[in-house]
Amino acid sequence: MRLSLVREPGTGPVVLYVHGATFPCELSIGWRMDGRSWLDHLQAQGFDAWGLDFAGYGYSQRPEVFRAAADSAPPWGDYRMGAAQIAAAIAAIRRERPHAPIHLLAHSWGTLPARQAAIEHPDAVSKLVLFGPVSTREGPPGNEPKPAWTLIGAADQRPRQRSGLPADAATPVGAQELERWCRAYLASDEASATRNPPSVRIPTGPMADIDRLWAGQALVDNTRLRQPTLIVRGEWDHVTTDADAARLYAELSGASERRDVKISGGNHWLHLQPRRTALWSTTAAFLRD
């Protein structure tokens, strides 16, 4: 399938960003707040900054299953498919930058295919940054089967700025900025305006992966990772709790280096919040070391 790569070119090492389960690169590493995005920052730090939209998101091709009823097929776009797409992106980048180190920077569910790709292609990935990673938990299995795709609207996304925050903490971004992001999110699917309410069609493979993880299944063998690896997260990240991070850190026993950094004042959407600059500087410092 046709995949989209965005780039802010530089002459230093390559950083390839892969997004999470519900929104593409343009709404994450490419999102400009106060006129500056994470891609811009990486470029300014001397990196050759890239971002991949997985199939079904952003500017990448939509799968044929999107044309059928949601319940006509099992969840589409799981972590193994994502790992294959990351490998294809790395091959495309390698044609442009044949000798540059390539680092993977992944968010949320995207850390699953990133880890799998790093395991399958150890010589192609130099370092790994796992931002808000998902990890195995001991929970009950889900009872309801998931469809191939689902619809996500602005009403689903808005509350995520507050997920995990203390009740007395202010919402990290103002209503105007959040609505600007929501409008751009709906615009990432050209058919969103034809639905009532407007919504974005996304694959459910990532959600099915997370359900399996949180029911105790270890999808990726983290002990096989050899690259230096950074776990980084916000202090109120409900997707990557202290227990989640500690378990993943222990599983990274084969990594040549491992770090776990918790940044104050943010949740799972730390990269879209005021404390994003601390995330940026932490990531850049690890990649430069």
Side-chain angles (χ1 to χ4, degrees), residues 115 119 128 130 133 220-231 245-260:
R115 280 176 265 166
I119 289 168
L128 195 58
L130 307 177
V220 174
D221 185 357
N222 296 307
T223 64
R224 294 177 60 196
L225 284 163
R226 298 292 178 262
Q227 295 88 347
T229 302
L230 168 67
I231 301 168
R247 182 169 187 166
L248 178 56
Y249 183 90
E251 291 172 352
L252 294 170
S253 56
S256 58
E257 180 186 358
R258 49 187 169 158
R259 302 181 193 177
D260 176 18

Side-chain angles (χ1 to χ4, degrees), residues 176-221:
Q176 184 176 357
E177 173 62 23
L178 184 52
E179 290 310 306
R180 184 174 76 93
W181 187 93
C182 286
R183 287 193 299 271
Y185 177 65
L186 294 175
S188 71
D189 180 349
E190 61 183 13
S192 66
T194 67
R195 305 178 187 118
N196 187 19
S199 52
V200 175
R201 195 190 313 265
I202 61 167
T204 55
M207 299 171 186
D209 285 343
I210 294 171
D211 283 352
R212 292 164 62 199
L213 266 186
W214 288 358
Q217 296 185 43
L219 303 183
V220 174
D221 185 357

